[in-house]
Amino acid sequence: MIETSPSSSAPVDVVLPCLDEAEALPWVLDRIPARWRAIVVDNGSIDGSADIARDLGAYVVHEPRRGFGAACHAGLTAATADVVCFCDCDASLDPQLLPAVAGPVLDGSADLALGRRRPVTRRAWPPHARLANLELARLIRRRTGLRLHDLGPMRAARREPLLALDLTDRRSGYPLQMVVRAADAGWRVAETDVPYRPRTGRSKVTGTWRGTWQAIRDMRAVLDERAAAGPASTATARGAGR
């Protein structure tokens, strides 16, 4: 049963950034782990996504500023659980796998856990997107030392340390900025393989040339950030996953 109150005793909050995902929402919300709370952040949908999510028992947050990062951060700000997960709301990733991805954070062996996408069909991840992801992983390693394979959108971390990272990107660079600043703060980062399926509907980022170009610009800006001079969070990590 998904909690519906702004503040709940759920052990984990799941942030689901949402822009016109009416078709995917029933499947996604039905697969949220038991007793975990779904926070659907509506980012200006015109297809009734917010009403569908609310009717299905999710806690709905409205974020009028367009941008993936704006939606994610609004969900993080609304979260109250100690551990917060993020997951795309387009049915490309199965929320039932969240406990496996979040496991290293829940058991204290990692501070940031990422789901490494493993496409189940070629249609799930077009060749140009895979190549771009490989190049991004190389740039992340050069910038941070982290040997990551994917900037996975399914991820988990503890809420207070995440807020302490003071993430500022509100567009496509938000997931990358989270990883970069976590690495700068000495967090332990873990990866877990997750199946990646064709999304429901059209991508708002890589589905258009404008979206792809904006994502590249956002990520370049994040990679050009200088490392903070001191510790940025209360995480106790020191360099694992590098």
Side-chain angles (χ1 to χ4, degrees):
M1 183 87 178
I2 301 170
E3 297 285 345
T4 58
S5 61
S7 179
S8 77
S9 58
V12 178
D13 281 335
V14 182
V15 175
L16 299 158
C18 176
L19 176 58
D20 294 330
E21 303 290 3
E23 186 178 351
L25 272 168
W27 184 85
V28 171
L29 292 176
D30 184 58
R31 300 178 75 79
I32 297 294
R35 297 185 58 246
W36 291 22
R37 182 174 67 150
I39 301 177
V40 173
V41 185
D42 185 69
N43 201 207
S45 299
I46 59 174
D47 66 349
S49 288
D51 291 336
I52 292 171
R54 191 178 295 108
D55 289 345
L56 291 171
Y59 174 50
V60 176
V61 174
H62 293 277
E63 174 50 69
R65 290 177 300 171
R66 283 293 182 93
F68 182 75
C72 287
H73 204 71
L76 174 60
T77 303
T80 57
D82 180 44
V83 173
V84 178
C85 292
F86 297 83
C87 183
D88 282 352
C89 202
D90 57 12
S92 62
L93 295 164
D94 187 348
Q96 284 193 340
L97 300 175
L98 282 168
V101 173
V105 172
L106 292 168
D107 67 21
S109 62
D111 303 293
L112 176 62
L114 306 174
R116 179 187 180 184
R117 290 170 290 183
R118 293 291 201 171
V120 298
T121 68
R122 290 187 178 183
R123 192 165 60 89
W125 212 355
H128 73 275
R130 296 193 206 192
L131 289 173
N133 191 67
L134 287 172
E135 175 63 9
L136 182 58
R138 185 187 70 82
L139 293 173
I140 291 172
R141 180 174 181 178
R142 187 172 72 179
R143 168 63 175 78
T144 68
L146 292 173
R147 295 185 177 91
L148 298 179
H149 300 88
D150 181 25
L151 191 67
M154 181 180 277
R155 53 184 57 197
R158 296 196 180 274
R159 180 173 58 89
E160 289 298 334
L162 263 183
L163 290 169
L165 291 179
D166 193 25
L167 302 177
T168 56
D169 191 284
R170 293 296 180 264
R171 294 188 301 201
S172 302
Y174 188 87
L176 176 60
Q177 188 178 55
M178 185 186 296
V179 170
V180 168
R181 293 197 177 181
D184 289 347
W187 288 25
R188 299 163 297 170
V189 181
E191 281 188 319
T192 300
D193 288 356
V194 292
Y196 189 50
R197 298 175 174 82
R199 61 160 290 136
T200 299
R202 183 175 63 88
S203 171
K204 286 76 176 179
V205 179
T206 56
T208 67
W209 280 106
R210 180 180 179 182
T212 300
W213 176 243
Q214 186 62 65
I216 291 171
R217 289 184 61 187
D218 293 344
M219 291 182 183
R220 280 179 177 170
V222 170
L223 289 168
D224 287 341
E225 285 185 359
R226 292 188 177 183
S233 78
T234 56
T236 58
R238 283 205 285 273
R242 300 192 178 197

